[in-house]
Amino acid sequence: MTALEKATGDVVFKFEPFVLHVLCQELQDAQLLHSVAVNSGFRNSGITVSRGGKITMAVRSTHCLEVPLSHKGRLMVSEEYIEFLVHVANQKMEENI
């Protein structure tokens, strides 16, 4: 809170989703991993194939959070709300684990 109160610009509370990149030898391996990831709740997962033929499977969660806290140095939310955001972000981290 002390650092936030000293901020002179815009401050955003941000929680990034989990991402795991796996290089696969065969497309079938990537497809199997993709199926497991999606069925496990990682709905933003996908497969990419580079021009050189590298097959990458990306396991991505949907657990993200981005909330503005201050604008031009003016705090826009209460300390209680920030504590709530931290709690929500920690829950999302537990879900990632």
Side-chain angles (χ1 to χ4, degrees), residues 23-39:
L23 190 60
C24 300
Q25 288 185 339
E26 303 289 333
L27 183 57
Q28 298 88 319
D29 300 330
Q31 290 171 327
L32 177 60
L33 181 56
H34 180 263
S35 177
V36 170
V38 170
N39 289 333

Side-chain angles (χ1 to χ4, degrees), residues 17-76:
F18 168 80
V19 179
L20 172 67
H21 291 106
V22 180
L23 190 60
C24 300
Q25 288 185 339
E26 303 289 333
L27 183 57
Q28 298 88 319
D29 300 330
Q31 290 171 327
L32 177 60
L33 181 56
H34 180 263
S35 177
V36 170
V38 170
N39 289 333
S40 296
F42 295 98
R43 297 185 305 269
N44 285 350
S45 299
I47 300 169
T48 58
V49 181
S50 72
R51 289 183 183 167
K54 287 186 180 178
I55 303 165
T56 303
M57 169 54 203
V59 180
R60 295 186 202 95
S61 81
T62 57
H63 302 124
C64 60
L65 181 66
E66 187 171 350
V67 181
L69 300 180
S70 71
H71 179 65
K72 296 182 180 177
R74 181 171 174 248
L75 188 61
M76 304 301 288

